[in-house]
Amino acid sequence: MENYFHLHLPEDEIRAISSVGLAHLGDAVYELLVRSWLCAHGKATGKGLHRAAVELVRAESQAERSEKILPLLTEEELTVFRRGRNAHVHSIPHSASRAQYLQATALECLLGDLYLRGELERINQLFRIMMEE
């Protein structure tokens, strides 16, 4: 039986997933990390908690935070990041520029890829850097 909290898919199976599919999964990974971070840091409660989460997961914020980790990515991670940035997305929210949205998609693609590889410690390391003030 698969443990979906601790996946480790083979390289060929991960490569078969579209960049949009990886970003879809990475979006959920990022959302869970943000919500966990907010709760652990007591940053907000109730309605404020939701607003704080929305502020951190919006494309503009993701794009800005991804800039902090770009110099730290391995060649393999940069390849996945670029793959996500080049994804064929069809709708971009009004609150973000196309460049911001593609940068956020790239980050989500990377997180989805790392998650499927079982690289949870690497995800945590990158997330902590992104959240540094």
Side-chain angles (χ1 to χ4, degrees):
M1 185 168 98
E2 292 279 351
N3 179 344
Y4 292 101
F5 278 113
H6 299 284
L7 281 177
H8 184 68
L9 295 182
E11 176 74 28
D12 58 327
E13 287 184 31
I14 295 171
R15 248 184 288 140
I17 299 170
S18 71
S19 54
V20 173
L22 290 174
H24 177 72
L25 178 59
D27 177 58
V29 170
Y30 188 74
E31 174 95 21
L32 180 60
L33 290 168
V34 164
R35 288 176 180 221
S36 298
W37 186 85
L38 287 170
C39 288
H41 288 85
K43 294 286 183 182
T45 57
K47 192 185 287 185
L49 188 59
H50 175 72
R51 286 187 183 134
V54 168
E55 183 64 28
L56 288 170
V57 299
R58 50 189 257 278
E60 303 91 334
S61 178
Q62 285 185 31
E64 181 182 314
R65 290 176 188 282
S66 72
E67 290 295 328
K68 294 180 177 184
I69 63 166
L70 276 177
L72 307 172
L73 299 181
T74 66
E75 273 306 312
E76 185 177 302
E77 290 168 346
L78 278 170
T79 298
V80 174
F81 190 89
R82 285 187 210 106
R83 180 180 168 202
R85 196 174 49 212
N86 294 329
H88 297 289
V89 294
H90 300 290
S91 62
I92 296 171
H94 296 291
S95 61
S97 70
R98 180 169 186 76
Q100 288 171 325
Y101 190 71
L102 291 175
Q103 187 86 353
T105 301
L107 173 63
E108 292 169 349
C109 188
L110 174 63
L111 293 175
D113 180 88
L114 290 171
Y115 177 78
L116 291 175
R117 292 177 191 284
E119 299 282 342
L120 301 183
E121 188 52 44
R122 181 62 171 156
I123 292 171
N124 188 56
Q125 179 186 40
L126 294 173
F127 182 75
R128 289 177 64 172
I129 292 165
M130 284 189 287
M131 298 309 286
E132 288 175 356
E133 293 299 322

